[in-house]
């Protein structure tokens, strides 16, 4: 896996990318593709049968009634009454094949949509944490949900519309040339003129259209961002401000949409005007051609036998014009979607988590060693957060990291969780294995993480506590809740353990959420426990209760706590003090050793920064 983030797609939308992506699906699902092509040909064949049958019925009636005595070489000799039955059969066959074609196309679209969405989701969950540092949730959602849906829909609609139109145009023009070649020539030239004007107009529109889509995605991102931070809006009373802000954002959208609207209107004008021109041009040409003709047989043949069928055949090339226009608009949307999907699918994680390979471990045994580690965030590679240092976390001991804000305490936990790899040096586990080489899931199965903002999923209590220990029994969950002193509270809820916890845990208080995470940890029974400011968001009384629970959880495990509170660090086997501004470890010792020793810890302690 590459070690750098890649952004392989340029910002200029490329239609080619859309076609390349759909081609791979049509190739993979070749049986469905063949079925669709067959049905497409069947539909068009049925459609061209209507003008042909009309023409045959005309000839048949004229022949039967003696209006025409000379046998037309094109006449099949089938009586017009039988031709009506054949016509009904053709209409019926057309309907059946149309149903099958659309249904198959719909299923194909869904297959593409689901496959792409799963691939995007897989890519997203496998991304490293820094991937999310510069992205808005709304934009990611737009990409995963609506771009994949849009792509899936157009991945079928565009080939369907273009394919059907192509066959229809070829069939209709051939028939028109057979019926009356001079008029067909006029119709064909007019048709080409309309098509070229539409393509020119669309090419001008398309770039603007991309811009509008971009603004719309930004709006999506913006809206989700504000919904996620709704508590800030509610607590700040900024509803009016937000309402105005959205109006302003939409002004840009409206401004960018206007030229697109103009071009769309022009496109429709060309289309409708073109259709009238097409019809009028052939009628005028027919009048000029036959009005000035001295051949009564030809005149009688045209108006008596061919005109109605010619008009029907000509009608068949009007539908494709609308289809091509639809497909063109779809292509503009689908290209933007394809580009964004591709961007998600080609972004590489900056760490290699060895999901399917790597050293499988069945436990974390022995000490964890930070060997000659230096760390700078990949997002800011020039700023060293932790200068070169080595440190050993002894098995079963507890460590507390303290230091000023920004000194790198949480960074230590991120390195232990392998959110990031060290810029230099290595994390060594199980007596000599580099954490980089380990199958990350097998390592994290033995690591517990409790952070300041507890992560609660939308789901019931069982689901929430079993997360990461999926094989656990309900009894084990109840036992874990008892240990976290959550059981009695859950029992008071009408649905007990089946209570659905609201999205992002809205139903629970801060302390209750933290207890839930602690119960999750009791169930998981990790060897290494990382507590990152686990109690700092709680008030003193709740903090005390939670601290007790955490201490019973910590027993017998290697524990790394990141804390400001004295109560959290007092009993640690070793306190590690980090200096400000990337100074790294400046002191280590027990609480009693450090509090009397002149230095950074004593300063923090005496300044009351350790409550
Ligand atoms: N994703 C990131 N990209 C770039 N810099 C980061 C990132 N995360 C943290 N930093 C920077 O790294 C430094 C250490 O951050 P860290 O979160 O480890 O500090 P901390 O000691 O835990 O602070 P606090 O006590 O405020 O939580 C800070 O200067 C911070 O701005």
């Amino acid at each position: 896996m590459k070690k750098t983030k890649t952004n392989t797609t340029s910002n200029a939308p490329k239609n080619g990318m859309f076609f390349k992506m759909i081609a791979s699906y049509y190739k993979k699902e070749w049986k469905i593709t063949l079925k669709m092509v067959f049905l497409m040909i069947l539909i068009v064949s049925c459609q061209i049968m209507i003008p042909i049958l009309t023409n045959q019925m005309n000839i048949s009636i004229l022949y039967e009634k003696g209006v025409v005595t000379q046998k037309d070489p094109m006449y099949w000799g089938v009586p017009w009454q039988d031709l009506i039955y054949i016509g009904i059969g053709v209409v019926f066959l057309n309907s059946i094949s149309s149903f099958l074609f659309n249904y198959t196309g719909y299923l194909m679209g869904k297959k593409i949509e689901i496959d792409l969405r799963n691939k995007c989701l897989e890519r997203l969950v496998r991304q490293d944490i820094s991937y999310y540092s510069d992205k808005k949730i709304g934009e990611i959602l737009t990409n995963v949900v609506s771009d994949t849906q849009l792509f899936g829909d157009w991945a079928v609609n565009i080939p369907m519309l273009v394919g059907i139109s192509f066959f229809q145009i070829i069939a209709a023009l051939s028939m028109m040339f057979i019926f009356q070649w001079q008029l067909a020539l006029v119709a064909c030239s007019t048709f080409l003129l309309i098509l070229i004007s539409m393509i020119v107009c669309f090419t001008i529109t398309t770039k603007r259209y991309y811009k509008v889509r971009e603004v719309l995605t930004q709006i999506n991102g913006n809206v989700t961002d504000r919904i996620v931070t709704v508590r800030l809006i509610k607590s700040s009373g900024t509803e009016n401000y937000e309402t105005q802000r959205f109006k302003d954002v939409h002004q840009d959208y409206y401004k960018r949409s206007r030229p697109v609207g103009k071009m769309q209107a022009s496109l429709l004008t060309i289309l409708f005007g073109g259709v009238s021109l097409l019809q009028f041009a052939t009628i005028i040409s027919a009048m000029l051609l036959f009005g000035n003709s001295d051949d009564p047989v030809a005149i009688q043949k045209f108006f008596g036998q061919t005109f109605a069928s010619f008009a029907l055949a000509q009608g068949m090339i009007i539908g494709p014009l609308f289809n091509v226009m639809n497909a063109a608009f779809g292509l503009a949307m689908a290209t933007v979607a394809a580009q964004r999907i591709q961007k998600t699918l080609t972004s590489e994680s900056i760490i290699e988590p060895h999901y399917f390979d790597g050293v499988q471990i069945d436990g974390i045994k022995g000490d964890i060693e930070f060997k000659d580690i230096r760390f700078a965030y990949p997002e800011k590679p020039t700023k060293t957060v932790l200068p070169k240092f080595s440190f050993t976390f002894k098995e079963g001991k507890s460590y507390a990291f303290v230091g000023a804000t920004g000194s790198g305490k949480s960074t230590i936990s991120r390195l232990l969780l392998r959110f990031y790899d060290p810029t230099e040096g290595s994390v060594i586990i199980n007596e000599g294995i580099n954490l980089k080489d380990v199958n990350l899931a097998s390592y994290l199965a033995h690591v517990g993480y409790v952070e300041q903002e507890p992560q609660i999923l939308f789901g019931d209590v069982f689901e929430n506590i079993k997360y990461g220990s999926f094989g656990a029994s309900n009894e084990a969950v109840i036992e874990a809740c008892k240990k976290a002193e959550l059981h009695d509270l859950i029992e008071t809820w009408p649905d007990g353990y089946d209570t659905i916890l609201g999205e992002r845990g809205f139903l629970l208080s801060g302390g209750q959420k933290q207890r839930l995470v602690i119960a999750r940890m009791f169930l998981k029974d990790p060897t290494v426990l990382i507590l990152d400011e686990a109690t700092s968001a709680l008030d003193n009384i709740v903090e005390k209760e939670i601290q007790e629970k955490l201490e019973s959880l910590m027993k017998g495990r290697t524990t790394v706590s990141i804390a400001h509170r004295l109560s959290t660090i007092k009993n640690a086997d070793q306190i590690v003090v980090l200096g400000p501004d990337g100074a790294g470890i400046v002191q280590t010792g027990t609480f009693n050793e450090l509090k009397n020793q002149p230095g950074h810890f004593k300063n923090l302690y005496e300044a009351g920064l350790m409550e």
Side-chain angles (χ1 to χ4, degrees), residues 172-222:
L173 287 178
S174 318
M175 271 189 311
M176 283 156 72
F177 274 99
I178 292 169
F179 288 143
Q180 222 301 321
W181 70 268
Q182 291 100 325
L183 291 188
L185 211 57
V186 172
C188 190
S189 321
T190 319
F191 180 81
L192 280 178
L193 187 73
I194 303 167
L195 203 62
I196 291 168
S197 315
M198 277 171 69
I199 290 170
V200 171
C201 188
F202 176 74
T203 316
I204 302 168
T205 323
T206 185
K207 274 192 200 116
R208 293 177 178 166
Y209 198 73
Y210 295 135
K211 290 252 157 55
V212 173
R213 290 286 306 171
E214 262 169 36
V215 177
L216 200 62
T217 309
Q218 281 163 13
I219 291 174
N220 275 354
N222 221 311

Side-chain angles (χ1 to χ4, degrees), residues 207-362:
K207 274 192 200 116
R208 293 177 178 166
Y209 198 73
Y210 295 135
K211 290 252 157 55
V212 173
R213 290 286 306 171
E214 262 169 36
V215 177
L216 200 62
T217 309
Q218 281 163 13
I219 291 174
N220 275 354
N222 221 311
V223 170
T224 323
D225 194 48
R226 296 296 148 145
I227 301 281
V228 169
T229 50
V230 67
R231 286 193 210 184
L232 177 65
I233 298 171
K234 289 284 136 198
S235 61
S236 315
T238 47
E239 289 86 348
N240 289 348
Y241 166 80
E242 287 300 333
T243 312
Q244 189 52 47
R245 220 182 119 262
F246 280 123
K247 281 184 188 161
D248 293 344
V249 173
H250 277 97
Q251 251 172 17
D252 183 36
Y253 177 61
Y254 181 69
K255 225 167 79 193
R256 286 180 191 264
S257 300
R258 270 169 65 166
V260 176
K262 247 186 227 161
M263 295 311 283
Q264 273 189 15
S266 314
L267 201 61
L268 283 169
T269 310
I270 293 173
L271 189 63
F272 284 110
V275 169
S276 309
L277 179 72
L278 181 68
Q279 286 165 334
F280 201 56
T282 40
I283 289 173
I284 300 271
S285 307
M287 297 311 151
L288 288 174
L289 190 66
F290 294 102
N292 294 321
S293 168
D294 297 326
D295 182 354
V297 178
I299 295 171
Q300 199 258 357
K301 187 179 175 213
F302 179 74
F303 287 107
Q305 295 176 26
T306 320
F307 191 50
S309 318
F310 187 90
L312 277 175
Q314 182 174 279
M316 266 181 73
I317 56 170
I318 292 172
L321 280 177
F322 283 91
N323 287 346
V324 168
M325 190 190 72
N326 263 339
F329 279 124
L331 184 62
M333 285 193 265
T335 300
V336 179
Q339 186 185 336
R340 286 196 299 230
I341 292 169
Q342 196 64 7
K343 201 168 168 181
T344 303
L345 293 180
T346 51
S347 303
E348 298 276 3
S349 169
I350 53 169
I351 66 160
E352 166 53 281
H354 297 290
Y355 288 117
F356 303 104
D357 54 11
V359 183
Q360 284 279 349
I361 56 165
D362 55 9

Side-chain angles (χ1 to χ4, degrees), residues 130 133 377-380 383 385 403-412 414 420 452 532-533 562 564 578:
S130 61
S133 58
Y377 279 94
E379 294 94 326
K380 258 194 216 163
K383 188 188 163 201
V385 174
T405 176
S407 57
K409 302 180 296 292
S410 297
T411 306
I412 298 281
R414 288 171 203 143
Y420 296 93
Q452 188 175 345
D532 193 348
E533 310 266 13
I562 283 123
H564 283 123
L578 296 180

Side-chain angles (χ1 to χ4, degrees), residues 589-601:
T590 62
F591 175 69
N592 286 330
E593 283 166 8
L594 290 176
K595 80 172 174 187
N596 299 315
Q597 203 182 85
H600 200 76
F601 184 81

Side-chain angles (χ1 to χ4, degrees), residues 36-63:
M36 285 175 70
V37 172
F38 171 75
L39 288 167
M40 206 185 278
I41 294 171
L42 197 62
I43 292 169
V44 179
S45 308
C46 289
Q47 286 175 355
I48 56 173
M49 278 305 282
I50 302 298
I52 292 175
L53 287 173
T54 312
N55 182 253
Q56 288 298 313
M57 282 190 266
N58 263 357
I59 302 174
S60 166
I61 292 172
L62 293 175
Y63 196 64

